[in-house]
Structure formats: structure tokens, C-alpha cells
Amino acid sequence: QVQLVESGGGLVQAGGSLKLSCAASGSIFSFNAMGWYRQAPGKQRESVATISNSGRTHYADSVKGRFTISRDNAKNTVYLQMNSLKPEDTAVYYCFADGYIDDYWGQGTQVTVSS
């Protein structure tokens, strides 16, 4: 059973930075892609950033230029560097893995940006 464990969330002031980590229990090469989603109170879960097995990245328009997704294959870990954070970035952030047949989700980590 694949497990994804997120860490790095917290409380930060607007304009600050946080780096989220997602550690997978197995090789991330086994996934077609990995990424980060977020869900704010009263809103639907939305895709924030994804990175394919080949390293191709995709970002939501709302975070382009501020967030960077990356992966460390040796550590089976995917990261989300978040800079210039805004109060509207406040949400629970979830790590996601596309396992070709099955999808996997982490438990989520809270990110709160104060104004």
C-alpha cells in the first residue's frame, strides 16, 4: 500500500515562504505524475502544481511565478516551495500521486497565511 506523508505546513505572514514535502513509501518512479492540490474552507479541491515522471511541470495560474514543484528521486520525495504567500493561499494542501491504475493521497497539511 502506497503511503504519502506531507510535512512543512504552518502559519506564515503574507509575503512569507513555506516549503512542503511529500515523502512516498515507495519509489516515485512508479508514479506517472505527482502533485499538490489544496482545499480551502467551503471550496472545491483544486490542483496547484504537478510534476510528471519526466520532470515536466504544470502550475495553476494563481500560483505561477510564486510556487515551484520539484522532486528528489533518491529520497522519493516531492516538494512545493511557496513564496510570496497570500491570504488566499490558505488551505489544506494534499499530496497526490497518479499510479496509472490507482490514485493516492496524503492526509493533508494546513497552510495558513495571515494578512
Side-chain angles (χ1 to χ4, degrees):
Q1 181 71 17
V2 173
Q3 289 188 326
L4 303 175
V5 180
E6 303 105 331
S7 61
L11 173 65
V12 65
Q13 288 188 332
S17 299
L18 283 174
K19 186 174 184 177
L20 305 183
S21 300
C22 172
S25 58
S27 172
I28 60 176
F29 275 121
S30 65
F31 303 132
N32 179 46
M34 295 186 71
W36 292 90
Y37 280 67
R38 68 185 181 187
Q39 187 167 19
K43 295 188 177 180
Q44 289 188 330
R45 191 173 295 190
E46 61 176 358
S47 176
V48 176
T50 59
I51 185 165
S52 72
N53 208 358
S54 63
R56 187 165 62 181
T57 58
H58 181 270
Y59 297 93
D61 288 342
S62 59
V63 306
K64 281 181 182 177
R66 300 188 298 121
F67 290 11
T68 303
I69 189 170
S70 61
R71 56 193 291 161
D72 185 331
N73 295 328
K75 295 183 178 180
N76 294 320
T77 300
V78 173
Y79 304 97
L80 185 68
Q81 177 67 49
M82 306 185 294
N83 299 327
S84 302
L85 282 161
K86 304 175 181 180
E88 51 264 43
D89 294 319
T90 295
V92 178
Y93 284 70
Y94 297 90
C95 180
F96 164 83
D98 173 1
Y100 293 97
I101 296 176
D102 296 313
D103 296 334
Y104 304 96
W105 293 90
Q107 80 286 354
T109 185
Q110 177 70 46
V111 171
T112 303
V113 184
S114 63
S115 57

